[in-house]
Amino acid sequence: GQWVNSEPPAGCMLTAMESGVIEHLEIWDKAIVLAHISEHAGRYDDMRQYMKERCEMGPALGTEERDLLSVAYKGSLDLRREAYRTSQLIEQERRQENDIKEADLAVNFIQRVSAEMQEICNECLDVVGKCLAKADAGEPRTFYLKLQADYNRYIAEFAEGSAKDVAIKKAKLYYAEAMKEADFHLLPTHPVKVGLCLNVAIFQHEVLEDIQLAIQTASEAHNAAMQSLEGMPEEAFRDAMPNVSLLADNLAMWRGE
């Protein structure tokens, strides 16, 4: 339950034994516990710092920890991406109304948000690069390569000039390497592979602006996953379907363009 005062209600205080357990947790285990708490509290900036700590110490991340890493940086970045899009719309509206002063203020705000997004993306790429260096082949390596591509794609969304070109080039390379790794090691129904195919198609559609290539990528991934799901255990079906459904949704939308 929740409490208003700074002190928890009677019965909620840690016992000496519980305190001892916390004291003997490994540093990286504490980071994971705090990352979970940060996620539930919606404090993604804190969460990403705890996951950064976890990545810098202890053994290689497990599956759940990799998911936490992804959620932390995505949550932290998404807040800024939404602010960036909203402030861009405001700037456009003010220019149309010939309110140059407010439009210029909006530009200053957009630049501040862009700087924050760049910092988050750079930090993520640095952390993921270190994880990738010691990742096993298969799912872990595919996962980190996908993140490297994703965060270069995000940079390409707001960067300009040569920085944008470099980000697009890096995203292309990492997506290609991730697909190669996934094709060799993962089933077409594996959630990481389906998610990778979805993001590659989104990159092709939104950044490269190649609608036909995006449709081809999404269609091939969707068909391969659906064929492979026939006769598979219910658990595999349940794990794959969220991203398979997103592939189908995007396909329907892109084909209607």
Side-chain angles (χ1 to χ4, degrees):
Q2 295 181 333
W3 52 84
V4 176
N5 300 317
S6 58
E7 292 294 325
C12 284
M13 297 297 288
L14 288 172
T15 64
M17 183 179 292
E18 287 168 332
S19 297
V21 169
I22 289 175
E23 283 300 317
H24 287 92
L25 276 175
E26 296 287 0
I27 297 173
W28 53 85
D29 288 330
K30 289 182 183 178
I32 291 297
V33 171
L34 289 166
H36 273 295
I37 293 169
S38 301
E39 180 185 11
H40 288 301
R43 291 179 61 91
Y44 294 105
D45 288 353
D46 291 334
M47 185 184 182
R48 86 171 200 260
Q49 290 307 313
Y50 291 127
M51 289 312 301
K52 181 172 180 282
E53 287 177 22
R54 168 62 187 90
C55 290
E56 290 171 351
M57 62 185 78
L61 303 191
T63 303
E64 183 191 356
E65 291 174 317
R66 289 196 295 273
D67 288 341
L68 283 173
L69 176 69
S70 177
V71 168
Y73 279 94
K74 189 71 162 56
S76 189
L77 186 65
D78 277 354
L79 294 170
R80 276 83 174 181
R81 289 172 83 200
E82 185 60 33
Y84 181 82
R85 285 190 286 261
T86 301
S87 47
Q88 275 190 319
L89 288 173
I90 291 170
E91 189 229 338
Q92 290 164 12
E93 287 172 2
R94 296 299 179 269
R95 290 213 186 279
Q96 288 169 1
E97 295 164 1
N98 212 29
D99 191 338
I100 305 304
K101 285 185 179 179
E102 285 199 18
D104 288 346
L105 285 171
V107 169
N108 291 337
F109 183 79
I110 290 166
Q111 289 171 345
R112 199 175 91 199
V113 175
S114 295
E116 290 179 12
M117 291 195 295
Q118 185 72 56
E119 182 184 347
I120 292 166
C121 290
N122 288 347
E123 181 182 293
C124 183
L125 290 169
D126 181 58
V127 170
V128 170
K130 291 172 183 172
C131 292
L132 181 59
K134 53 186 178 182
D136 291 334
E139 180 185 339
R141 184 168 168 77
T142 303
F143 183 91
Y144 292 128
L145 287 168
K146 173 184 170 293
L147 278 185
Q148 290 275 39
D150 287 342
Y151 279 80
N152 276 294
R153 169 165 66 92
Y154 297 143
I155 291 172
E157 288 179 354
F158 62 83
E160 297 175 353
S162 60
K164 183 183 184 78
D165 295 337
V166 169
I168 291 172
K169 186 177 180 181
K170 286 184 177 179
K172 266 187 185 178
L173 289 170
Y174 280 117
Y175 277 134
E177 200 174 339
M179 288 293 284
K180 185 178 177 182
E181 184 78 8
D183 286 342
F184 190 78
H185 291 282
L186 306 180
L187 291 171
T189 54
H190 194 293
V192 172
K193 182 167 186 181
V194 181
L196 169 62
C197 293
L198 173 66
N199 284 14
V200 169
I202 290 171
F203 170 68
Q204 291 165 341
H205 183 273
E206 295 183 1
V207 179
L208 301 184
E209 297 180 345
D210 190 334
I211 297 173
Q212 290 309 310
L213 184 59
I215 289 173
Q216 181 184 332
T217 299
S219 181
E220 288 175 358
H222 182 266
N223 292 342
M226 292 306 293
Q227 287 171 11
S228 297
L229 280 171
E230 291 178 12
M232 289 192 76
E234 186 181 338
E235 184 181 357
F237 191 87
R238 191 171 59 245
D239 289 345
M241 279 316 292
N243 281 332
V244 172
S245 296
L246 285 172
L247 277 172
D249 291 344
N250 278 305
L251 271 172
M253 182 171 60
W254 296 339
R255 282 171 173 159
E257 289 181 351

